[in-house]
Amino acid sequence: MPLDDLRVYLPKYLSAENYDQLISQLRDFPANIDKRMFTIGLEPDIIYQGDALSDIPVVNIENLGLGVKQRPCMIVSNTCDMDLNNTRLYPTTMLYTPIVQLNNYIKVLLQYGASEEKIKNHIADVKAQKVSSMFYLPSIGELGESVVFLDRLLHVSQKYIDRNTVQARRLFSLSDYGFYLFVFKLSIHLSRIREGVNRGAVAE
């Protein structure tokens, strides 16, 4: 996408310095998918879209016998929707998806019988953010290289997470650059206006 076209879709609330930095980072994509995707110093008691939090309940609905596991997960819901001060007639829930270590994902691909060559090419595409249903996360802190699957969303009550514990449970927050990539991937995965289906205008 030409840079002039890209500017149309960039957030307008950034400072001039942060805006220029984001432009520079996007210009270098995908060669810079590294720790520049993360940031520190955000408000300790706010859950932000794209945050990774520890100990979130995960269940496989096709295999309930495995029970509920507590896993690190990435938050998908919009930051504003998770603000407990936003009262509603009917409460919203918090969407999230489990974080899967890349090495474990590769092991699963091998179990499914994929060849090492196909896996190598696929992982290269994953790391370049070319797979629409997956968001690649470079290593940070105790988390090794990981992926999240945008087609495996779970949800829980907004009040499930005590906001006083957020800072202790937060594994990372996304930088402006990481957040832009995440929202862009979400938009591609969930809302493709050019789906190629003529739906008609009026129901009969």
Side-chain angles (χ1 to χ4, degrees), residues 171-184:
L171 303 174
F172 65 73
S173 289
L174 295 177
S175 65
D176 292 327
Y177 171 54
F179 178 67
Y180 182 87
L181 293 183
F182 183 56
V183 172
F184 188 79

Side-chain angles (χ1 to χ4, degrees), residues 189-201:
H189 178 65
L190 296 174
S191 55
R192 301 176 194 177
I193 195 66
R194 297 181 181 180
E195 66 173 5
V197 178
N198 185 354
R199 295 174 178 268

Side-chain angles (χ1 to χ4, degrees), residues 43-183:
E43 293 296 328
D45 57 351
I46 294 178
I47 301 175
Y48 295 91
Q49 186 176 35
D51 273 3
L53 300 179
S54 63
D55 301 325
I56 308 295
V58 173
V59 62
N60 183 343
I61 199 168
E62 295 180 357
N63 195 344
L64 296 177
L66 295 176
V68 178
K69 309 292 185 180
Q70 300 292 325
R71 302 288 191 225
C73 294
M74 192 170 185
I75 307 303
V76 176
S77 288
N78 185 279
T79 304
C80 294
D81 288 340
M82 294 182 289
D83 187 342
L84 297 180
N85 293 319
N86 287 340
T87 58
R88 295 174 172 83
L89 291 178
Y90 189 76
T92 60
T93 59
M94 182 171 62
L95 293 172
Y96 59 93
T97 184
I99 296 174
V100 179
Q101 295 290 316
L102 189 62
N103 286 339
N104 291 337
Y105 175 56
I106 292 174
K107 290 178 183 178
V108 171
L109 295 179
L110 288 170
Q111 291 173 0
Y112 273 73
S115 68
E116 292 188 2
E117 184 65 23
K118 285 187 176 180
I119 292 175
K120 178 182 177 181
N121 294 334
H122 172 65
I123 295 302
D125 286 342
V126 169
K127 289 185 175 184
Q129 304 291 14
K130 293 181 178 180
V131 181
S132 64
S133 63
M134 300 173 66
F135 188 66
Y136 168 72
L137 296 165
S139 175
I140 180 173
E142 296 181 0
L143 280 177
E145 290 182 288
S146 307
V147 291
V148 293
F149 296 89
L150 302 179
D151 59 352
R152 286 161 169 78
L153 302 184
L154 301 164
H155 69 91
V156 74
S157 167
Q158 299 285 4
K159 296 181 179 180
Y160 177 82
I161 297 178
D162 183 346
R163 296 310 193 265
N164 294 319
T165 69
V166 170
Q167 185 70 355
R169 299 172 66 171
R170 194 184 340 252
L171 303 174
F172 65 73
S173 289
L174 295 177
S175 65
D176 292 327
Y177 171 54
F179 178 67
Y180 182 87
L181 293 183
F182 183 56
V183 172

Side-chain angles (χ1 to χ4, degrees), residues 24-58:
S24 176
Q25 290 170 331
L26 291 173
R27 186 183 291 117
D28 293 337
F29 174 86
N32 60 347
I33 301 179
D34 51 30
K35 290 186 178 180
R36 281 170 281 193
M37 289 180 59
F38 308 115
T39 189
I40 58 174
L42 298 182
E43 293 296 328
D45 57 351
I46 294 178
I47 301 175
Y48 295 91
Q49 186 176 35
D51 273 3
L53 300 179
S54 63
D55 301 325
I56 308 295
V58 173

